[in-house]
Amino acid sequence: MNWIDRYVAEIKRYLPAKNRDDVAEELQSLLEEEVLELEADRERPLTDAEWHDLLREFGHPMQVATRYGANGALVSAALYPLYRKVVTYLLAATALIYVVAIVWSIVADVTWGVMTEQRAVNLGFGFSEAWSFAVNWLVFITLGFHIADRYLVNAGTLQRWNPDSLPPAMAERETLLSSILVSILVAVWLVILHRLSPEFSAAVLSGEQDNRFITLIGWLKIQAVVVLAVYLVLLFKPHWTKGKRAMIMVADALTAFGIALCLSMPAEALLQAYPQLPEGLLRVSTIVLWIWVLGLLADLLVQGYKVVQRR
């Protein structure tokens, strides 16, 4: 029943959490009964080709989830379950980031005196900016799903779906929740980095300006773009592969290199660019960067181990 396990595992990703297990169990039983009847008629197990025909007839996992889960008017019924989850997590993540930003502005102001309320607003952490961010991304997401409708549904892409593309039922998967949340958070992080420093050039990355703050942001932008690309792919192909882990390893290695480059710059140089910074904050930043490098190296080892183990 490996085909059934793989098929049902994929459908569960798009089902509402409250009845996911019940629906999955019902689908499992329904498919098992159908297979038993077909095998009894043929007096032999189904071939892979017959499995493909059966699952194609039953439908793409997104379409099956729609029949058992939800429907909507913003986008087609086939893509609505995924659309609803993406929008829900977008709004939740925006609210969380807004609260964290307010707390950070207060803590930074009390501790170091370097973040005033006005500066927090300038960085995009005000309520109106947070609301504008959520609305803008809602528009982009809805437009993206509308375009996807034309390609996936109207063009018949879902009907040409091949069951061979299903990953093994026990393959390591990224949950839909984590894929969406990480994609949203990394996109927000990329926007924040750009607001902090819109500069991006070879001179910035090489540290020619002798400003570890600007150079660090440049390397973090590269990391964010790579990680965002990986998690956007995981939204639709949730199983981890060697290629996806290799991309995360590349992002880790590049960021570690960038931070090491920043550590090679004298911290005192920041006082010339930002004379209002307290010296204590410079010492803390150096410690944080070293911890950051160690964390990246640890993640490199973990990802490399999983690649070697072919997980």
Side-chain angles (χ1 to χ4, degrees), residues 2 37 77 125-126 137 153 203 208 225 227 246 267-268:
N2 185 46
E37 291 180 4
F125 295 143
W137 275 95
V153 180
E208 290 183 9
V225 170
V227 173
E268 293 74 15

Side-chain angles (χ1 to χ4, degrees), residues 6-78:
R6 293 166 63 180
Y7 188 62
V8 173
E10 187 68 9
I11 294 173
K12 286 178 67 175
R13 297 184 64 241
Y14 306 105
L15 292 171
K18 62 180 180 180
N19 62 347
R20 179 180 299 146
D21 292 334
D22 292 338
V23 171
E25 185 177 347
E26 178 183 347
L27 288 170
Q28 185 95 12
S29 300
L30 180 64
L31 285 167
E32 288 174 354
E33 291 176 2
E34 179 75 12
V35 170
L36 289 175
E37 291 180 4
L38 291 173
E39 290 182 342
D41 291 342
R42 292 168 172 77
E43 298 182 349
R44 60 172 174 78
L46 297 181
T47 65
D48 282 346
E50 290 170 334
W51 273 108
H52 288 189
D53 292 339
L54 173 63
L55 296 182
R56 282 198 190 96
E57 182 178 353
F58 211 79
H60 189 282
M62 280 188 182
Q63 294 174 311
V64 177
T66 299
R67 295 200 297 266
Y68 284 86
N71 52 51
L74 288 176
V75 294
S76 73

Side-chain angles (χ1 to χ4, degrees), residues 112 212 263 267-268 270-271 277-291:
W112 299 298
R212 63 165 56 175
L263 287 169
E268 293 74 15
L270 281 178
L271 291 177
L277 289 178
E279 293 185 9
L281 184 58
L282 295 181
R283 291 192 294 269
V284 171
S285 68
T286 300
I287 295 173
V288 170
L289 289 178
W290 274 111
I291 296 175

